[in-house]
Amino acid sequence: MKTLPKQPLLPPQNTALRLGATGFVVGPLVDSLHNQCLLKYDVAPITLPSSLSSSVDPLLASSWVVPPLLAFAYIVLGYILPRIIEFLPIPKEDRLDEDDFNENNEGRNTQQLRNKALLAVSSTAAIIKLSEVLQTHATIQLGAIVLNMDAGMKLQLMALADACQWVILDRTPAALIAATVTAFGGPLSELPFVSAGFWEYIPQAADYTPLAMIQPGGAVEGLLSSAFGENYRDLTLSSITGPCYFAVTLDAMALARYFYSMEEEK
């Protein structure tokens, strides 16, 4: 079996196509597990009604804008971001370098990587469904303990689920760094779309105004006003989406490893 050289910043064509196709098709399906309790799509909405009853939530609620965005996101998060992580001062044994992608060097074959990728997709779907459960329940009872589902408690439970996924799927500091960066940066990347009216978070979920702290005056305010409009401080997101971005990042990385291993078989 041929071993590929150290990976370039951009993925091989087939790896990129497979990652993009997965993000395009699977991404919106997984995202729809929680988006109906978080936001409303205003541009090119997609709705697949339930066959059970018109009073039941649709089976799928998304937008035609989402599939290409997730296709791009899976390529960036799954392949390009790990390549960038290589430039950080992380010990060699903790890096997501060629030994992590060429997992056959450690005696692990493509079938094992496939199983891990399936586990990654399944666990991400479970975490995103968990966010929907937490978002739609004011309290959750665990035995004799009743948990109030305020924003802090929801984030703690989601962070615990993310930590379990990371321990099971990866355990490398590099992946933890990449997923954590995405957990903070992913929601912020939605600001241009929220500002432009592609989607909006519903009042019950909109609990995060990241630009409200910007002080009046100065170049920063002028830049943000030009980019997002004069009311940029009022742009609201949902804090619970951060842990979901964390899970999606680990998901995309596991898929990228599997798809890249298929390049080795050629």
Side-chain angles (χ1 to χ4, degrees):
M1 180 178 291
K2 181 179 71 173
T3 298
L4 295 179
K6 186 177 178 67
Q7 288 73 40
L9 179 62
L10 298 179
Q13 182 178 5
N14 288 335
T15 298
L17 288 174
R18 292 182 178 113
L19 276 172
T22 303
F24 191 94
V25 176
V26 179
L29 296 177
V30 174
D31 183 54
S32 69
L33 293 173
H34 75 167
N35 59 15
Q36 295 180 64
C37 71
L38 295 178
L39 51 81
K40 179 172 72 73
Y41 290 103
D42 297 317
V43 174
I46 308 171
T47 302
L48 180 61
S50 172
S51 60
L52 299 177
S53 170
S54 59
S55 62
V56 178
D57 288 339
L59 294 175
L60 173 68
S62 187
S63 166
W64 289 109
V65 177
V66 173
L69 288 176
L70 289 179
F72 178 74
Y74 268 60
I75 294 172
V76 172
L77 300 179
Y79 189 95
I80 297 177
L81 184 58
R83 304 277 66 77
I84 296 174
I85 293 294
E86 291 182 17
F87 294 99
L88 297 178
I90 299 173
K92 174 66 177 178
E93 61 272 15
D94 293 333
R95 286 178 175 273
L96 282 168
D97 58 10
E98 68 270 19
D99 290 333
D100 293 295
F101 267 65
N102 294 335
E103 293 199 35
N104 290 296
N105 292 343
E106 302 295 330
R108 287 170 283 188
N109 56 33
T110 300
Q111 181 63 38
Q112 290 172 312
L113 293 176
R114 178 178 178 273
N115 293 339
K116 182 175 284 190
L118 291 174
L119 177 60
V121 174
S122 301
S123 59
T124 295
I127 289 173
I128 288 181
K129 184 61 179 179
L130 173 63
S131 73
E132 188 265 348
V133 172
L134 298 179
Q135 189 65 35
T136 54
H137 290 75
T139 61
I140 291 181
Q141 185 167 355
L142 300 175
I145 302 174
V146 177
L147 302 177
N148 293 317
M149 289 298 105
D150 56 25
M153 178 58 67
K154 287 185 284 189
L155 286 177
Q156 289 179 52
L157 294 175
M158 290 292 291
L160 178 61
D162 282 344
C164 291
Q165 186 190 38
W166 173 73
V167 169
I168 293 171
L169 291 178
D170 200 287
R171 302 185 187 181
T172 64
L176 182 61
I177 292 171
T180 302
V181 168
T182 308
F184 286 96
L188 297 179
S189 71
E190 296 186 24
L191 286 173
F193 300 96
V194 174
S195 173
F198 284 87
W199 59 79
E200 58 183 304
Y201 282 88
I202 62 177
Q204 299 91 320
D207 60 356
Y208 175 36
T209 51
L211 302 181
M213 65 186 70
I214 302 299
Q215 298 298 318
V220 174
E221 182 185 31
L223 179 63
L224 292 175
S225 296
S226 299
F228 302 128
E230 294 183 359
N231 297 323
Y232 68 88
R233 291 187 183 85
D234 298 328
L235 295 176
T236 55
L237 306 172
S238 179
S239 60
I240 204 169
T241 61
C244 296
Y245 275 100
F246 185 104
V248 168
T249 303
L250 294 183
D251 175 354
M253 288 181 178
L255 286 166
R257 289 172 177 171
Y258 168 54
F259 294 146
Y260 190 84
S261 73
M262 296 171 69
E263 304 275 351
E264 294 184 296
E265 295 184 334
K266 295 182 179 180

